[in-house]
Amino acid sequence: MLPRLSQLLLAALALSGVVSADPSGDEELRDFFAREGAAVKPLNLGRRSAATTQTRHLRPTYEREETILKKRDITPPDIGQVADFGGQDPEPIRNGAGDTFFANSNHEIDAQNPDNVAAPPTDAGTVPNLKWSMSLSHTRLLKGGWVREQTITDLPPSKDLAGAELRLSPFAYRELHWHRVAEWGYILNGTGRISAIDDSGRSYISDVHGPSNGSDPDIYYFPPGVPHSIQALDQGLEILLIFTDGNFDATGTTFMLSDWLAHTPLEIVAQNFGVNVSELGGIPQKDPYILKSTVEPPPFGHASEQAVADPQGDVPSPYVFHLDQQKKTNAPGGWVKIQDSVTNFPVSKQLASALVFVEPNGLRELHWHINDEWLYIISGHGRATAFAGGSTARTFDFQPGDSAVFPVSYGHYIKNLSPTEPLIYVELFKAEKFVDFSATQWLALMPRQVVADLLNISIATVETFKKEKQIVIA
Ligand code: CO
Ligand code: CO
């Protein structure tokens, strides 16, 4: 009795931080994980405690110490939860398999990707990497902002879509240009003014804003070939950009007006515009990509003051879509707003999108699509498993600023890992209509016996499955 009590006392002191367990090294750590497994909550061994602050959103909040003490003798069944290393660096150990890192590993990256290090037992086979953090991209610094991209060379499975983040300082321009492919934008922060014309010479000018006072931001869409530019207003601007080609950096994809003129004989340029060569001496010989404005434009909400009278009139269908004017589609565990050309955003013929809000602990249900899905995490922390068919699957962990792709037909879910903060992200498809198939809806609408026999579950259980898409489950 006495030794048992003293052990408990020692463990309690160690937990309260009064006595450090003070591991002598990897051997003790290895023994510890071999004994306790990674899916239980181990004692804090005091190694690299700084990791807890960097990764506090990745794991559930710690239980009270007495609860941990009661549970310590019980190894819970591994039902696929994120391996919990109790605030320590993740180690490639799970349920008696694996071993510690014996040499080097990048502990910050490990801490953000515990499912790379100690995947759930349901992961299997070789699934390519499907995630790209924009923080891994080269950032191009320009006078008046910056840009960083994710293209097919960063994330080869993303064939349909490429993404970028663009920052404009107050009043800076993204210069006049057009693309071979369609462009979709989501205002991440700040305010700006976009302008364009269509192929009939009908013009468009509109102010756009990021999320403010809890309201959703604006998105925009430019069809292929439509020439456009963007100017930041007084707050500056940051935009998430999507292009309908994974190989967006290929020559022949983006065309800058100043670049074109710099590579056209000046006498031709002069004749084309009907002016003297002497008036064109200031044309830049290298496209700036981003440039500062020389005069402050009219403030937000005053776009019409800059509009040029257009004999052809305005474009018939706006390039901007105001998410804050769209009604939410409520779901048991959150809500979604879907935009596509068939439903509510006619001009967006090659891009369908959804803004998804997942409440704490909520789950974007098991589903798949008929196009590649490209996604971007706006806030919160998520976890997704991509099922690639052929008995292969891989689980990924997401942080804000991560992009990812679920290739066409891959089954997937996204779980909000946080018990307190929402997970907000966008889903994008190179498609005229948003399409998804729900696993639950499918099974609920099949003959009961078919489902019961396959899954070896009762008909009574099958009868509880929801016949309507749940989208996000509480
Ligand atoms: Co563009
Ligand atoms: Co999806």
Side-chain angles (χ1 to χ4, degrees), residues 364 367-369 373 406 412 425 427 429 436:
R364 173 80 172 95
H367 68 280
W368 69 97
H369 308 275
E373 171 179 349
F406 297 122
H412 54 277
Y425 72 98
E427 303 180 2
F429 307 88
D436 71 348

Side-chain angles (χ1 to χ4, degrees), residues 250-302:
T251 299
T253 305
T254 296
F255 299 83
M256 249 74 85
L257 177 76
S258 65
D259 191 26
W260 188 18
L261 299 187
H263 295 91
T264 304
L266 199 57
E267 62 154 352
I268 301 294
V269 178
Q271 184 181 1
N272 180 74
F273 291 130
V275 298
N276 291 323
V277 167
S278 61
E279 294 176 66
L280 301 174
I283 288 181
Q285 290 309 294
K286 187 179 178 333
D287 68 276
Y289 193 90
I290 291 172
L291 69 154
K292 290 180 172 171
S293 78
T294 53
V295 176
E296 205 172 294
F300 183 84
H302 293 254

Side-chain angles (χ1 to χ4, degrees), residues 185-268:
Y186 178 103
I187 311 302
L188 291 166
N189 202 4
T191 52
R193 180 164 297 151
I194 68 167
S195 49
I197 66 161
D198 71 4
D199 60 311
S200 300
R202 295 174 292 196
S203 58
Y204 185 79
I205 184 164
S206 176
D207 288 351
V208 289
H209 65 80
S212 59
N213 302 324
S215 72
D216 293 321
D218 292 327
I219 59 174
Y220 67 77
Y221 174 90
F222 295 124
V226 163
H228 55 273
S229 70
I230 303 166
Q231 182 172 23
L233 295 175
D234 60 340
Q235 297 177 12
L237 189 62
E238 191 165 323
I239 314 177
L240 171 68
L241 301 170
I242 311 299
F243 302 96
T244 53
D245 184 354
N247 193 14
F248 176 69
D249 270 346
T251 299
T253 305
T254 296
F255 299 83
M256 249 74 85
L257 177 76
S258 65
D259 191 26
W260 188 18
L261 299 187
H263 295 91
T264 304
L266 199 57
E267 62 154 352
I268 301 294

Side-chain angles (χ1 to χ4, degrees), residues 266-448:
L266 199 57
E267 62 154 352
I268 301 294
V269 178
Q271 184 181 1
N272 180 74
F273 291 130
V275 298
N276 291 323
V277 167
S278 61
E279 294 176 66
L280 301 174
I283 288 181
Q285 290 309 294
K286 187 179 178 333
D287 68 276
Y289 193 90
I290 291 172
L291 69 154
K292 290 180 172 171
S293 78
T294 53
V295 176
E296 205 172 294
F300 183 84
H302 293 254
S304 59
E305 291 172 23
Q306 279 194 300
V308 173
D310 187 338
Q312 283 78 232
D314 298 333
V315 297
S317 188
Y319 295 136
V320 170
F321 184 98
H322 303 290
L323 285 173
D324 58 3
Q325 292 173 18
Q326 182 180 12
K327 243 181 114 223
K328 295 169 183 168
T329 301
N330 286 313
W335 53 261
V336 66
K337 290 182 176 183
I338 293 169
Q339 307 81 38
D340 64 40
S341 68
V342 174
T343 313
N344 49 19
F345 194 14
V347 75
S348 188
K349 291 203 187 313
Q350 293 184 29
L351 205 298
S353 51
L355 174 63
V356 184
F357 181 99
V358 185
E359 288 170 359
N361 293 321
L363 176 73
R364 173 80 172 95
E365 66 175 329
L366 288 169
H367 68 280
W368 69 97
H369 308 275
I370 58 169
N371 307 92
D372 289 352
E373 171 179 349
W374 192 97
L375 60 147
Y376 178 90
I377 308 297
I378 293 165
S379 69
H381 290 81
R383 185 195 198 206
T385 301
F387 166 60
S391 303
T392 62
R394 181 170 169 186
T395 303
F396 296 90
D397 307 287
F398 296 139
Q399 291 82 34
D402 282 349
S403 64
V405 62
F406 297 122
V408 56
S409 290
Y410 278 31
H412 54 277
Y413 66 87
I414 301 184
K415 162 88 177 166
N416 182 352
L417 288 180
S418 170
T420 52
E421 59 172 353
L423 169 67
I424 303 172
Y425 72 98
V426 282
E427 303 180 2
L428 290 311
F429 307 88
K430 185 180 181 179
E432 64 170 356
K433 188 175 189 310
F434 179 95
V435 174
D436 71 348
F437 288 90
S438 155
T440 305
Q441 184 178 47
W442 177 29
L443 300 184
L445 296 172
M446 288 297 98
R448 302 279 193 243

